[in-house]
């Protein structure tokens, strides 16, 4: 080959050789050297949760919570189904969120460069600033409370960021994630796309709380009027959605709600109101307390609800400052809805006011032997059933409202139950929401002119219902009726866990307890707050006057492992006794508190 041709080709060969050599590292690269994956990030708007507060483990309940299960699933979806992850463990002698099912341990060995790179990539994704400028965006959207890894801890609370971790376990073989109550619920914006609402705020009270009226009061039923919905902003400051929070230090915040001057409830002369209240989707197992705004809130459970569930109950509350009542949650955060269904007239109000707000003098309550008026009523998934109440089971034909218990029997699907005066529009707030299990709620329902009410099923399927009655409100001119007199301070008369009133209430047993120390002579019925705790088998509770037949009517239904709190109206014997029956619950504790009396 000619020398000049060789000289011309040498630069081209050199360039080609250099190119090949530059590709060798890429061709020989192993998968471990590729950049680790990070989770797929959903599309979000700007709204985001705030940083998680410190909500430490206080209970021993090692059951995996929804948010922890979802976080573990996200890690496995991203890095492989064989990733070793632990959530709950029964080590309740220590303080750890593993003990209540909201801590996730992802086994990562820091001495393994591949695993360490995977962990670093995930943490960088978790704590990065998003396109809206939200710092630590994914951690906030997942409800991460703190992270421990490789001698370091990241805290969301206080001053968010990393710091040295000096605990006995350096966490060099795993990453520890602890979730807030919100994070553990699995309902934060990472999963739903909607940021959870901030705490509700209250307007300042400008009046002192009036004294609780302890003299008998007459009742006026009204069509249900919604006065509060934290989810929709009804009754909230500025009409904005919010949630009722308990503080991280477990000193509860109040939510004040206007109840007078709403719907058919007058703005003056009202001493107490009857409310149908629903505690909705709390982020932790919790309960509600309630009382007059500006006054002392009794330390009595009024509604109990498990995480992400909904529970409802009738509450009769004294009206406080500025015509408001107050609600408190013991832990975490919850949504709340309330509708007023009636009011009690202040007997000390001027006569002209009483005449104006209580035509005919108002109504008095007449208890009857609890009776199952309509058993096994099948109502379609968008069906209604008209129930004649007045004139049955000893109620007066002219009754204006009735205390009824509505039970949905076990079945498929979920839905909502409404109970309202026949001929009226369906109220916005349901009596209760149900799932596959049995549920019972007692309430007061106004009756139509012919003495009837409607039970409506808005659900996924046809379900069977039972309708019971335990008393009715009737004209004050009729004999036998009584006004409601609230106790200034509720009095607990039964606590089986503390051997108070009753030491044990076994399955299939009926027992009598006394309310004589909590009510005045001449009492015909009592308003009770009853909490049944975690039976090992499902059960029903019934309350009635001793000396009368055991009723088929049911006041409460309690599923296995549940805590249920309900308001119950029970007739009282002349000696001040009430009888209770536990149909089938094993290992259940019961607490009964007297709120007031009909006399």
């Amino acid at each position: 080959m000619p020398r000049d041709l060789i000289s011309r080709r040498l630069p081209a060969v050199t360039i080609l050789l250099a190119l090949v050599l530059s590709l060798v590292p890429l061709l020989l690269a192993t998968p471990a050297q590729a950049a680790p994956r990070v989770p797929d990030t959903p599309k979000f708007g700007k709204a985001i949760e705030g940083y998680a507060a410190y909500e430490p483990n206080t209970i021993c309940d090692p059951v995996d919570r929804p948010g922890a299960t979802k976080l573990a699933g996200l890690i496995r979806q991203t890095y492989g189904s064989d990733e070793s992850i632990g959530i709950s463990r029964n080590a309740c002698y220590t303080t750890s969120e593993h003990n209540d099912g909201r801590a996730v341990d992802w086994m990562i060995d820091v001495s393994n460069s591949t695993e360490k790179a995977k962990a670093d990539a995930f943490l960088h994704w978790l704590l990065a600033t998003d396109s809206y400028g939200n710092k630590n965006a994914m951690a906030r959207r997942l409800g991460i409370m703190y992270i421990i890894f490789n001698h370091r801890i990241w805290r969301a609370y206080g001053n968010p960021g990393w710091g040295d971790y000096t605990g006995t376990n350096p966490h060099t073989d795993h990453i520890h994630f602890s979730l807030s109550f919100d994070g553990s619920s699995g309902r934060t914006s990472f999963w739903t796309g909607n940021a959870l609402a901030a705490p509700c705020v209250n307007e300042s009270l400008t009046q002192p709380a009036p004294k609780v009226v302890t003299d008998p009061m007459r009742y006026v039923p009204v069509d249900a009027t919604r006065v509060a919905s934290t989810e929709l902003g009804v009754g909230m400051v500025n009409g904005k959605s919010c949630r009722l929070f308990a503080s991280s230090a477990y000193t509860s915040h109040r939510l004040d709600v206007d109840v007078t001057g709403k719907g058919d409830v007058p703005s003056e002369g009202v001493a107490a109101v009857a409310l149908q209240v629903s505690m909705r989707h709390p982020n932790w197992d919790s309960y509600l307390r309630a009382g007059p705004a500006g006054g002392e809130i009794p330390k009595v459970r009024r509604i109990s609800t498990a995480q992400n569930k909904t529970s409802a109950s009738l509450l009769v509350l004294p009206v406080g400052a500025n015509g408001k009542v107050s609600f408190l949650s013991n832990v975490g955060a919850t949504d709340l809805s309330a509708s007023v269904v009636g009011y009690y007239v202040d007997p000390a109000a001027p006569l002209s006011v009483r005449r104006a707000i209580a035509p005919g003098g108002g109504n008095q309550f007449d208890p009857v032997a609890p009776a199952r008026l309509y058993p096994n009523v099948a109502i379609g998934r968008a069906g209604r059933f008209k129930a004649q109440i007045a004139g049955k089971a000893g109620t007066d034909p002219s009754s204006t409202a009735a205390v009824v218990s509505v039970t949905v029997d076990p079945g498929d699907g979920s839905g909502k139950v409404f109970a309202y005066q026949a001929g009226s529009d369906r109220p916005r707030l349901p009596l209760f929401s149900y799932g596959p299990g049995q549920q019972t709620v007692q309430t007061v329902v106004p009756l139509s002119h012919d003495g009837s009410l409607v039970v409506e099923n808005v659900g996924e399927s046809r379900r069977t219902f039972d309708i019971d009655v335990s008393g009715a409100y009737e004209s004050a001119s009729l004999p036998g009726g009584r006004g409601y007199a609230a106790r200034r301070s509720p009095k607990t008369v039964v606590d089986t866990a503390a051997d108070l009133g009753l030491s044990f209430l076994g399955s299939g047993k009926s027992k009598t307890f006394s309310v004589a120390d909590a009510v005045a002579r001449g009492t015909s019925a009592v308003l009770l707050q009853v909490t049944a705790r975690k039976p090992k088998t499902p059960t029903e509770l019934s309350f009635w006057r001793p000396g009368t037949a055991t009723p088929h009517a049911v006041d409460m239904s309690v599923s296995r492992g549940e805590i249920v709190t309900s308001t119950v109206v029970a007739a009282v014997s002349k000696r001040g006794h009430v009888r209770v029956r536990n149909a089938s619950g094993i290992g259940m504790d019961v607490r009964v508190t007297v709120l007031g009396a009909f006399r």
Side-chain angles (χ1 to χ4, degrees), residues 122-419:
F122 184 80
L123 292 176
H124 181 269
W125 169 83
L126 197 66
L127 301 176
T129 300
D130 68 13
S131 60
Y132 299 103
N134 296 314
K135 295 181 178 180
N136 310 132
M138 295 305 112
R140 291 161 65 182
R141 292 191 184 280
L142 285 164
I144 302 289
M145 188 167 67
Y146 63 86
I147 306 166
I148 308 174
F149 182 51
N150 196 20
H151 302 276
R152 303 275 284 169
I153 181 170
W154 181 87
R155 297 179 177 89
Y157 47 90
N159 185 19
W162 286 102
D164 293 334
Y165 180 69
T166 57
T168 56
N169 185 336
H171 289 69
T172 55
D173 62 352
H174 71 281
I175 308 178
H176 173 97
F177 303 96
S178 273
L179 300 176
S180 66
F181 295 141
D182 274 342
S184 74
S185 74
R187 296 177 55 245
T188 54
S189 61
F190 186 86
W191 309 113
T192 67
N194 298 311
L196 291 169
C200 298
V201 296
N202 295 314
E203 296 175 336
S204 298
L205 299 175
T206 59
Q207 302 171 355
K211 292 182 179 180
V212 175
V213 176
T214 57
D215 292 327
M217 300 173 286
R218 292 175 178 173
Y219 182 72
V220 179
V222 299
D223 286 337
T225 300
R226 186 168 60 184
V227 293
S229 172
T230 57
E231 292 168 282
L232 301 177
V234 176
M236 304 298 109
V237 174
N238 299 323
K240 294 183 177 180
S241 61
C242 59
R243 288 183 295 163
L244 170 59
F245 272 71
S247 78
S248 58
Y250 296 93
T251 54
S252 298
H253 299 295
R254 296 180 184 226
L255 172 62
D256 297 335
V257 174
D258 282 305
V259 291
T260 60
K262 303 293 181 180
D264 293 328
V265 181
S267 57
E268 60 178 342
V270 176
V273 289
L275 297 164
Q276 192 63 42
V277 180
S278 179
M279 190 177 180
R280 299 172 55 80
H281 315 304
N283 64 7
W284 197 242
D285 303 342
S286 51
Y287 62 84
L288 202 65
R289 293 164 50 204
E296 181 181 354
I297 306 299
K299 295 180 179 180
V300 177
R301 282 179 183 254
R302 304 305 298 265
I303 302 177
S304 299
T305 314
Q307 185 182 54
N308 293 337
K309 302 294 185 180
T310 296
S311 295
S313 182
L314 173 73
L315 303 187
V316 176
L317 301 177
V319 174
N322 294 85
K324 299 174 183 280
V325 296
S326 292
F327 299 94
L328 299 88
S329 174
N330 70 312
V331 65
T334 185
D335 278 309
L336 179 146
S337 295
S339 290
V340 62
V341 296
Y343 60 90
Y344 291 88
V345 179
D346 186 350
L351 179 60
S352 59
V353 172
R354 284 183 281 142
R355 284 177 173 173
I357 67 174
N363 299 281
Q364 298 186 106
F365 180 69
D366 191 7
V368 299
R372 174 146 295 177
L373 295 183
Y374 300 97
N376 302 318
V377 178
I379 305 179
R381 65 188 186 93
R384 302 177 182 181
F385 177 78
K386 184 177 179 180
Q388 178 67 38
I389 304 294
K392 292 182 175 290
T395 61
D396 191 86
S398 63
S399 297
T400 59
V403 175
V404 297
S405 297
V406 179
T407 298
V408 57
D409 297 328
D412 296 328
S414 60
K416 300 175 181 179
V417 179
F418 297 82

